[in-house]
């Protein structure tokens, strides 16, 4: 399932209030983000002067999430330097502000009254697969530590995600796909359509097969 209600709360940094931060963990060998640039990657190659993934609003996501490595995820961040570690970010998950305003699909009962607490209780982690469906396919699994930052936008809480550093890749076009693992079904309390407002139990696809380009490091310019 690919929830259509996913929103990138990082884009509204001016409204974001940090509630908590979590650690980065260790690797095991809005839909809108994921399907942008489906016709090819056009993002300029990263400079040699540092890693700065900027959102469409100009927010430095590296700085906001305290990530030193190059980021792959948002449409403006779809190019990495070959053989260098990279970090996968993916769209945030938001919920209703609290139990008093929450609405749910028929037959669903949250395990905790507050929708965001319910998400945190049930979220087990993610599996990130690169080059899915090819001979080079490889997956990495992580726990809840991929939740790096909790922000609020218009009074609503959002969980913002980033993987630990992943091994560098050879030059060429690659894809990256994120799967969520949930202990039980979770619904966000913001609507009554299961396909849009809920995450099923078990492992389910959370993003599309996001394309990105890996390029050789640019040689310094002469003179």
């Amino acid at each position: 399932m690919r929830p259509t209600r996913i929103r990138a709360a990082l884009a509204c940094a001016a409204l974001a209030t940090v509630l908590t931060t979590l650690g980065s963990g260790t690797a095991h060998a809005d839909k809108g983000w994921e399907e942008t640039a489906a016709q090819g990657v056009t993002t300029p190659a990263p400079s040699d002067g540092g890693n700065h993934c900027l959102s469409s609003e100009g927010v430095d996501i590296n700085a906001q999430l305290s990530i030193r490595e190059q980021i792959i995820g948002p449409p403006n961040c779809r190019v990495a330097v070959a053989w260098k570690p990279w970090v996968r970010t993916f769209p945030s998950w938001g919920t209703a502000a609290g139990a008093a305003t929450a609405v749910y699909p028929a037959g669903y009962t949250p395990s905790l009254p507050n929708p965001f607490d319910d998400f945190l209780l049930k979220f087990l982690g993610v599996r990130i697969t690169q080059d899915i469906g090819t001979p080079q396919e490889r997956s990495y699994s992580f726990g809840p530590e991929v939740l790096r930052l909790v922000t609020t936008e218009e009074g609503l809480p959002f969980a913002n995600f980033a993987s630990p550093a992943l091994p560098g890749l050879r030059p060429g076009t690659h894809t990256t796909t994120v799967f969520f693992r949930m202990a039980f079904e979770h619904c966000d309390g913001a609507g009554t359509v299961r396909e849009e407002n809920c995450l099923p139990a078990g492992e389910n696809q959370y993003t599309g097969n996001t394309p990105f380009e890996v390029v050789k490091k640019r040689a310094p310019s002469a003179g």
Side-chain angles (χ1 to χ4, degrees):
M1 183 197 72
R2 303 176 197 174
T4 58
R5 239 197 105 261
I6 300 169
R7 298 170 63 189
L10 286 174
C12 298
L15 299 175
T17 300
V18 177
L19 301 180
T20 184
T21 56
L22 300 177
S24 60
T26 304
H28 308 288
D30 137 4
K31 189 176 179 182
W33 272 22
E34 306 308 324
E35 296 186 356
T36 301
Q39 301 303 315
V41 180
T42 58
T43 309
S47 69
D48 296 332
N51 298 315
H52 297 282
C53 171
L54 302 180
S55 73
S56 57
E57 287 77 13
V59 177
D60 188 333
I61 299 176
N62 283 84
Q64 189 153 34
L65 295 183
S66 300
I67 295 171
R68 291 181 294 178
E69 295 83 6
Q70 52 198 346
I71 286 175
I72 294 295
N76 290 341
C77 311
R78 298 283 177 85
V79 177
V81 173
W83 311 119
K84 287 191 174 183
W86 56 287
V87 166
R88 177 67 154 104
T89 62
F90 39 98
S92 58
W93 180 260
T95 72
T101 58
V103 293
Y104 296 108
Y108 173 78
T109 302
S111 298
L112 293 176
N114 183 287
F116 196 77
D117 291 342
D118 187 75
F119 170 74
L120 294 178
L121 175 70
K122 296 172 180 177
F123 178 64
L124 298 178
V126 300
R127 177 168 62 90
I128 298 174
T129 300
Q130 63 194 41
D131 299 326
I132 194 167
T134 73
Q136 293 75 43
E137 178 178 323
R138 189 174 183 184
S139 291
Y140 300 88
S141 293
F142 307 100
E145 70 273 6
V146 297
L147 198 170
R148 293 289 190 98
L149 186 70
V150 177
T151 58
T152 58
E153 180 187 350
E154 299 176 354
L156 304 178
F158 285 86
N160 299 282
F161 308 98
S163 74
L166 298 169
L169 298 169
R170 67 182 62 191
T173 300
H174 298 268
T175 65
T176 174
T177 311
V178 179
F179 297 83
F180 262 30
R181 298 196 312 273
M182 303 296 295
F184 302 95
E185 182 185 29
H186 159 76
C187 297
D188 59 16
T192 59
V193 181
R194 261 194 165 81
E195 291 74 16
E196 296 182 4
N197 300 103
C198 302
L199 296 168
E203 182 178 90
N204 293 273
Q205 189 170 340
Y206 186 70
T207 74
N209 301 330
T210 305
F212 66 103
E213 197 74 20
V214 176
V215 300
K216 295 180 179 179
K217 185 176 181 179
R218 290 176 173 176
S221 57

